[in-house]
Amino acid sequence: MTGNTFEIDDVVAVGLALMRSNSVLGECVMRDAEASFTGGRGDSVRVRTPKRRTAQNFNGTTVYTKVEEGHAQVKLTDEPTDAAAFTTKDMTLNIESFGEQVLKPQMDAVSTYVEKSAAALLNTASKAATARVIKADAKPGDAGHVVKMLTAAAADFTRREIPATDRFLAIGPDVQNVLLDVEQLQKVNEAGEPHALRNATMGDLFGFRVVVSPYLDGAVAFHKTAFALAVRAPNEVQGGARSVSAADNSYALRVTMDFDPSVKSEVSIVDTLCGVATIDATRAIAFTVTPPAKA
């Protein structure tokens, strides 16, 4: 790897930072990560969840309840992997920057896969028969318009005693098209932070932080504790390969550098294990979008 010396630990650190920066939906749900995971795809892992306690009226005798931590089982259904092979000639003549031309695209591919896994879970909810219907051609204020539906969802959340913080509305392009007609969201500096659009965030609306994902159909209003994303980095590869498994900010991945004699090439492999699950369906309200009425 002439002219491309680097510490693989640094590569993993950069990869984890990139994984988080590429994440939109992953930042809105509960996340649980672990490095050097000894299991594999198909295994279920325990994800810690907040457990609500109920105060009791003191009537002269103190009643104690155990301090228990809630947990949910999340199955690691997928093993997103990106493997790149390159010759010595590639390294010396064609690849000007190994990090920019090989590792960054690999990290991008794996983090995008994880993001799509979260989107798939929300899409399943938005396509369910219980999803509320948003009419694409409804005017603001009409019963079928997303704003009207969202005010009703906010009221439902309050009735269900769902915390006012960490509420999100994740929307796809169709719903985004409808919301762009809402005057209070047309000015980002009035609806949220000035840098919001760069982070795929449209702003705040009726207590929900509105985030946009190209991988979504319809929309889902939810509290952070409604869904969970579990990410596990497999154990480091043993032998002559350089391999590091790491976790940070509730994301995890493994990077392996080796030589494959079967193809007579250097190889770079970035992989992880991931799974998603619904933790509390009562903390989410899904919406589906109907196409505009024919003229």
Side-chain angles (χ1 to χ4, degrees):
M1 298 187 181
T2 307
N4 289 281
T5 58
F6 54 85
E7 292 294 333
I8 195 168
D9 300 75
D10 295 336
V11 169
V12 177
V14 172
L16 288 168
L18 181 64
M19 204 170 189
R20 184 171 187 179
S21 67
N22 285 349
S23 178
V24 176
L25 301 177
E27 291 291 293
C28 303
V29 301
M30 293 185 60
R31 294 193 314 280
D32 187 270
E34 183 180 308
S36 299
F37 180 63
T38 57
R41 182 171 53 186
D43 286 355
S44 292
V45 296
R46 286 164 55 109
V47 173
R48 291 177 293 178
T49 60
K51 192 165 186 178
R52 188 173 182 178
R53 294 179 63 84
T54 303
Q56 301 184 39
N57 182 37
F58 179 73
N59 59 6
T61 303
T62 301
V63 178
Y64 295 95
T65 56
K66 293 181 179 180
V67 176
E68 297 178 335
E69 185 178 61
H71 70 273
Q73 295 290 331
V74 179
K75 187 175 183 179
L76 300 174
T77 57
D78 293 57
E79 190 173 357
T81 303
D82 189 284
F86 43 91
T87 65
T88 302
K89 181 179 178 181
D90 288 328
M91 292 301 298
T92 57
L93 299 179
N94 300 332
I95 302 180
E96 296 179 2
S97 169
F98 182 77
E100 284 295 317
Q101 294 181 244
V102 178
L103 286 173
K104 188 176 183 299
Q106 287 188 285
M107 306 289 187
D108 241 343
V110 171
S111 60
T112 297
Y113 192 107
V114 173
E115 181 76 359
K116 286 183 177 180
S117 296
L121 183 66
L122 299 186
N123 281 334
T124 298
S126 65
K127 293 174 182 176
T130 54
R132 303 181 183 187
V133 179
I134 298 171
K135 298 177 182 178
D137 55 353
K139 296 180 180 179
D142 290 352
H145 191 271
V146 64
V147 171
K148 189 73 173 180
M149 304 296 280
L150 195 54
T151 57
D156 280 355
F157 273 31
T158 301
R159 279 190 288 269
R160 298 176 191 180
E161 299 182 23
I162 296 173
T165 57
D166 291 329
R167 293 184 183 182
F168 296 92
L169 174 68
I171 65 175
D174 290 342
V175 180
Q176 181 185 24
N177 189 46
V178 177
L179 276 179
L180 286 175
D181 288 333
V182 179
E183 184 177 353
Q184 65 195 96
L185 282 177
Q186 290 176 352
K187 297 181 180 180
V188 177
N189 62 338
E190 294 179 4
E193 296 85 356
H195 62 277
L197 284 181
R198 293 200 298 273
N199 295 335
T201 302
M202 291 183 67
D204 294 319
L205 189 62
F206 308 119
F208 293 94
R209 174 54 56 97
V210 184
V211 297
V212 184
S213 172
Y215 314 121
L216 284 180
D217 302 317
V220 182
F222 61 96
H223 188 264
K224 190 180 187 77
T225 54
F227 305 105
L229 167 65
V231 187
R232 295 290 186 273
N235 267 336
E236 292 90 344
V237 174
Q238 302 301 311
R242 290 189 294 164
S243 184
V244 170
S245 171
D248 186 47
N249 288 318
S250 297
Y251 291 103
L253 56 76
R254 177 179 65 179
V255 175
T256 302
M257 308 293 299
D258 201 3
F259 180 81
D260 187 345
S262 65
V263 292
K264 295 184 179 180
S265 296
E266 300 276 359
V267 294
S268 171
I269 303 173
V270 178
D271 61 351
T272 192
L273 296 158
C274 69
V276 292
T278 299
I279 303 301
D280 188 348
T282 65
R283 294 189 164 211
I285 296 175
F287 305 89
T288 187
V289 184
T290 61
K294 294 182 179 179

